[in-house]
Amino acid sequence: MQYKYKQGDNVTFTDNGGDRYTGTITSKGEEQGFAVYDLDIGHWCYEHQIKEAQEFMKIDHIVCKQLTKGSEDDCKESAYNICLDQKVDVKLFLLNGKTMIFDYQILSDARL
């Protein structure tokens, strides 16, 4: 079978519910005669579901800022999830003046 994409490509696909996911292809195979790809985000997709392949710049951290009062816990949870999902450090600035750093290496080691 011929494949349009290769292992290591960064792709975005849309599932049957219309949700978009972006991940890196870790392997490829065949399902019911169609090309399929396993992604590093715990999803797999058919080739025809892939909407785009892209080159990503390597980034070392993401900066987040709390915008509304009273959502501090939500902000912390979002920053934590971004850190683990995107595999990058996150720096969070809260309205109370505190700054939090979510270090991917430390958090990913702690999940083992």
Side-chain angles (χ1 to χ4, degrees):
M1 172 167 282
Q2 286 198 292
Y3 295 91
K4 186 174 179 181
Y5 305 101
K6 64 185 182 314
Q7 189 170 337
D9 282 352
N10 296 304
V11 296
T12 299
F13 79 96
T14 305
D15 69 8
N16 293 335
D19 294 324
R20 291 173 56 96
Y21 298 92
T22 299
T24 302
I25 295 173
T26 58
S27 66
K28 53 192 176 185
E30 188 176 328
E31 179 74 28
Q32 301 175 1
F34 296 101
V36 295
Y37 300 91
D38 286 318
L39 304 175
D40 67 342
I41 57 172
H43 289 278
W44 66 273
C45 66
Y46 290 104
E47 187 170 88
H48 68 272
Q49 291 177 299
I50 296 175
K51 301 299 181 203
E52 60 189 42
Q54 51 205 321
E55 291 292 324
F56 284 109
M57 293 187 325
K58 180 71 174 155
I59 57 174
D60 60 357
H61 72 281
I62 294 174
V63 175
C64 297
K65 183 177 180 181
Q66 180 184 6
L67 298 177
T68 57
K69 194 170 187 158
S71 63
E72 187 173 314
D73 288 340
D74 291 338
C75 287
K76 289 177 186 177
E77 183 179 353
S78 292
Y80 173 83
N81 290 332
I82 290 168
C83 177
L84 293 177
D85 292 345
Q86 300 299 318
K87 300 178 181 157
V88 66
D89 296 344
V90 175
K91 188 176 201 177
L92 173 63
F93 293 99
L94 298 170
L95 287 176
N96 63 11
K98 292 181 182 175
T99 300
M100 299 182 74
I101 305 289
F102 294 83
D103 185 291
Y104 173 72
Q105 190 62 50
I106 292 171
L107 292 175
S108 62
D109 288 348
R111 285 180 29 168
L112 296 177

